Amino acid sequence: MRVLLVHPSPLMYSELYLRLEPLGLERVAAAIEAAGHEVRLLDLQIFQHADYWREMQTFAPQAVGFSVNYLANVPEVVDLAKETKARPGAPFVFVGGHSASFIASEFLDHADGAIDCIVRGEGEVIAPLVLEAIGDPKLETLPGVVTRHGAGPSPTLLRDLDLHLPARHLGRRRHKYFIGVLDPCASIEFTRGCPWDCSFCSAWTFYGRSYRKGSPEAAVEDLARIREPNVFIVDDVAFIQAEHGFGIAREIERRRIRKQYYLETRCDVLIKNQELFAYWKRLGLYYMFLGIEALDEEALRLHRKRVTLNENLRALEIARSLGLTVAINIIADPSWDEARFRAVRDWALTVPEVVHFTVATPYPGTELWLTESRQLTSRDYRLFDVQHAVLPTTMPLQRFYEELVRTQAVLNRKHLGWGAIRRYGGAALSAAARGQTNYLRMLWKFSTVYNPERQYADHQKPVRYEMRPPRPMAGPRPTKQELYVHMPAPVH
Ligand code: B12
Ligand code: SF4
């Protein structure tokens, strides 16, 4: 069967700092290819809708699968599915990914019959079975599958992460993928899931709080296939288990692979596994993201981060002493006033790190989605991108955006424009000499992407698809049934 897999258009973030390969789709593609199908992959972060329609004509797929990890992409995918189904000889249309998994039935309702099924959870096991069941009523009995007529049992976890390494050969224009100065940059996955349970996050609810590791040999085999000199390690929390991180590192040394790496981890993990991170620094670890989230104990407790402010500050010192470029994130609450923004801005100016600000957003799939007592001010999917306020702001909304962007602009002052050229000019120019200009191009784009008027105007756009409000909880706390996509068992 001819199968076209599609990643939707870029999010607000990817307009500036990064653009990353659709690793989830590449893994699903590998599983589908292994089942004997002919697969093509189209990434609309790079290509245009016109390219999608061209592909529909020239490749004439019998099935089209969309990846929806982000709510902001829901309207685009619903519209593409509707237009696809309106044309003669329409293919089977299915959708997977994080956000799709958490809002399966409302997604199907918006599509009004244009989406044949949503595939909840990991795609590797189930996608080939879905293709096999097209046209058969057994489709809606498959694990993780939801149609307008029924839903199968909880999805099946992939038994072994070493299976179905990403089908990177299907990617086109790979030189467009980058993160900051790591230009170009590929992505890789070493582990899946997270054992913590932060209230604003859905990494743990998606995988039913499970945590799995691939073998160091398979991970490094995958790494060896990557042509790019830079690699984004996509694990939610990198190197939780030191032995696994050392195992991969030793294998990299044994195979004499030299690359630069970006990873994301927790402050307590960095403190606990300092030696491991120092080893990775020697191997090429360049850029690290630490989820600090808050500058006070009360907010850390509310986010249920299970780290203290002191631990966070200690981790920053360790990262600095290792000589890493460090990015951190702070969650701005819509309740913040001018004084709060000023205090955070002053702090951000005193630290050498790249400081990002996101807006507290109850995302479906998180505990916060069910427990947040404040009323949503918007249910427009496009505004659920952690850059817009969807909860009531204490300041007038326009003022909130002015303060937010002013605070985000600290990053612009410190790490973009000429400041960046002074700091990373050598790396940027040598990338440019190789024809890689993604990073150079981002340096002066800040105010076209982060703009208070634009953010405020987004709230005035007509809303065609509205999210369903959260369902009331059965008890005082959300249950596993209410939160998890993958229930803890079974593993196949
Ligand atoms: C890279 C990344 C990004 C990149 C986007 C890159 C891209 N090209 O998509 C950037 C940095 C832009 C980003 C932004 C955000 N992200 Co993000 N991101 C990730 C990250 C680290 C890796 C994604 C990845 O490659 N995973 C590995 C692959 C193998 O897994 P996968 O994509 O989930 O695919 C599997 C399944 O989902 C499924 N599947 C996926 N697509 C399809 C399609 C079909 C047809 C089928 C059948 C199955 C299927 O099968 C795949 C294989 O099992 C994940 C964390 C993670 N480890 O997954 C978070 C994650 C996906 N992001 C998340 C969030 C919350 C965000 C933000 C909202 C906030 C933030 N963290 O900054 C913003 C969104 C901004 C916006 N404007 O809306 C959440 C999920 C959100 C949700 N929907 O519930 C995650 C899980 C992180 C987390 N800890 O909460 N992100
Ligand atoms: S924020 Fe990080 S540590 Fe917390 S649950 Fe999500 S992935 Fe795990």
Side-chain angles (χ1 to χ4, degrees), residues 441-458:
R441 272 194 246 169
M442 84 177 217
L443 292 180
W444 283 272
K445 267 175 82 177
F446 181 87
S447 48
T448 58
V449 177
Y450 289 87
N451 176 321
E453 286 86 48
R454 172 182 166 181
Q455 264 153 283
Y456 182 70
D458 289 340

Side-chain angles (χ1 to χ4, degrees), residues 193-204 236-237 266 293 303-305:
C194 175
W196 282 273
D197 60 348
C198 304
S199 60
F200 60 90
C201 177
S202 60
W204 60 284
D236 281 303
V237 184
R266 285 174 55 97
E293 324 301 0
H303 298 322
R304 213 193 292 121
K305 271 302 279 194

